Amino acid sequence: MAGKITIVEVEVLVETGEIDPDDVHTPGIFVHRIVVNATPEKRIEQRTLRAQ
């Protein structure tokens, strides 16, 4: 919220009122640009332990 420009990356762009306001992390008043990325690369880290 302290930045001059806020860019939000979303997977799905929904209409106003479709989601609960309590589920929003950054209110729209602070968002200047929206980038829709329908197929984001999901990098999931996996912990690998060696056998003992």
Side-chain angles (χ1 to χ4, degrees), residues 4-52:
K4 291 183 179 182
I5 295 177
T6 302
I7 300 172
V8 175
E9 180 181 7
V10 299
E11 292 180 28
V12 178
L13 192 59
V14 298
E15 294 294 325
T16 303
E18 285 191 43
I19 57 176
D20 185 17
D22 293 331
D23 293 335
V24 177
H25 298 282
T26 304
I29 194 167
F30 296 110
V31 177
H32 299 93
R33 305 283 187 269
I34 298 174
V35 177
V36 178
N37 185 0
T39 56
E41 180 181 337
K42 302 203 181 213
R43 298 180 181 167
I44 300 173
E45 296 181 18
Q46 296 179 356
R47 177 182 280 184
T48 305
L49 302 174
R50 63 181 177 167
Q52 293 182 353

